[in-house]
Amino acid sequence: MNRRGWHIPHPATVYLLLLLAVMLISWIGSVYAMRGIERNSDIVLRSLLDSQGVRWLVSNSVITISAAPVGNAILLLSAIGLVCKSGLWRVLCRLSAKEASSYKERVGLAMAMVVMALFAGLVVIGLCFGDRVLLGLTGTVLPSPLSDGIMLMLFLLTGLPSVVYGFATGIFRNADSVIGALLWLSPYMASLLITMLVASQLLAAFDYSGLDRIIGLGAYGRRVLELLVWWLPLPWIIVRKAKLR
């Protein structure tokens, strides 16, 4: 319960209720033999509550978490921690508001921008010159090492300038202070991991039952749904924790 008296549910709780709803709908739909058509193929709704469905749920309860973008979530939270705790975000906000900054801050910002430009230049080289190592084997961006490692690229693009700025301004004094910034949002990670565990079950159950295909979601729609289910909880968790303080 927050200060205003209304409760913001944890996203894992909401996903668990949605999972139970999918299980119930799959059972009811299988009883009435609900069917759909995808690419001229007949899709039969499968129950998650019959013997075969229960076996699937039990055997895949842990395996499905491997589909969750846990590594990307860690990189994202670490990058946010570096940008905020280094002071880089604060000085950028002050400059956008046309507030004065110190000489040390201006020098640190200039150094950070140089590092960011150099890294961006390396990415351009990897895309356009030589062996074009960041492109796929057929010269495409999707799929490619760049698209597969986009979160790592964003982490380096923001993290490296943040570290440079932090040391230039004296906010970071040693490696321990950098590690502390990386772990700044670690309290949110536990909530996010629990949510991703339930979310992986929800998405897998949705796919196993065939409910997504029966309602005509399509490949693009399923991809959009996955992105929303994986990443919507992050701002949700942050806002929820802020409201509970």
Side-chain angles (χ1 to χ4, degrees):
M1 192 72 68
N2 61 23
R3 295 175 182 175
R4 296 184 180 181
W6 51 277
H7 181 69
I8 302 176
H10 195 285
T13 303
V14 175
Y15 283 175
L16 180 59
L17 293 175
L18 289 174
L19 174 60
L20 294 175
V22 169
M23 294 169 65
L24 181 60
I25 292 171
S26 72
W27 174 66
I28 295 174
S30 66
V31 170
Y32 289 96
M34 288 181 60
R35 295 175 178 269
I37 297 178
E38 183 184 51
R39 297 180 181 178
N40 298 322
S41 299
D42 191 27
I43 305 298
V44 180
L45 187 63
R46 293 195 290 181
S47 174
L48 287 157
L49 296 178
D50 61 12
S51 58
Q52 185 176 353
V54 171
R55 290 191 188 98
W56 179 87
L57 281 171
V58 174
S59 61
N60 289 273
S61 59
V62 177
I63 298 174
T64 52
I65 189 61
S66 62
V70 176
N72 285 341
I74 294 174
L75 286 174
L76 178 60
L77 291 175
S78 298
I80 294 173
L82 281 175
V83 173
C84 293
K85 296 301 288 182
S86 67
L88 182 58
W89 178 253
R90 182 171 62 252
V91 75
L92 289 174
C93 291
R94 287 169 55 188
L95 288 176
S96 64
K98 297 182 179 180
E99 297 180 4
S101 57
S102 66
Y103 174 76
K104 183 184 293 186
E105 288 173 334
R106 292 194 297 272
V107 170
L109 183 60
M111 294 174 63
M113 293 301 102
V114 169
V115 171
M116 181 178 288
L118 289 174
F119 182 79
L122 290 176
V123 173
V124 172
I125 291 173
L127 290 172
C128 303
F129 300 97
D131 294 332
R132 298 194 294 178
V133 295
L134 293 181
L135 292 179
L137 295 177
T138 58
T140 59
V141 176
L142 293 172
S144 69
L146 178 64
S147 62
D148 293 339
I150 187 64
M151 196 60 72
L152 174 62
M153 293 297 178
L154 292 175
F155 170 76
L156 294 174
L157 183 65
T158 57
L160 292 176
S162 299
V163 171
V164 170
Y165 179 85
F167 277 110
T169 56
I171 295 176
F172 291 161
R173 297 185 180 277
N174 49 45
D176 288 342
S177 56
V178 176
I179 297 299
L182 288 168
L183 298 176
W184 181 50
L185 291 178
S186 59
Y188 298 99
M189 182 53 65
S191 289
L192 188 60
L193 289 177
I194 293 298
T195 303
M196 283 188 167
L197 176 63
V198 183
S200 65
Q201 304 296 321
L202 172 62
L203 290 171
F206 203 56
D207 179 70
Y208 172 85
S209 66
L211 188 59
D212 55 343
R213 296 180 290 280
I214 286 179
I215 65 176
L217 196 58
Y220 179 76
R222 287 195 291 268
R223 180 58 179 163
V224 172
L225 178 64
E226 287 178 0
L227 291 174
L228 289 175
V229 170
W230 291 135
W231 295 109
L232 186 60
L234 182 55
W236 185 346
I237 289 170
I238 293 175
V239 170
R240 182 177 184 271
K241 283 186 174 290
K243 292 288 186 180
L244 291 175
R245 288 176 181 173

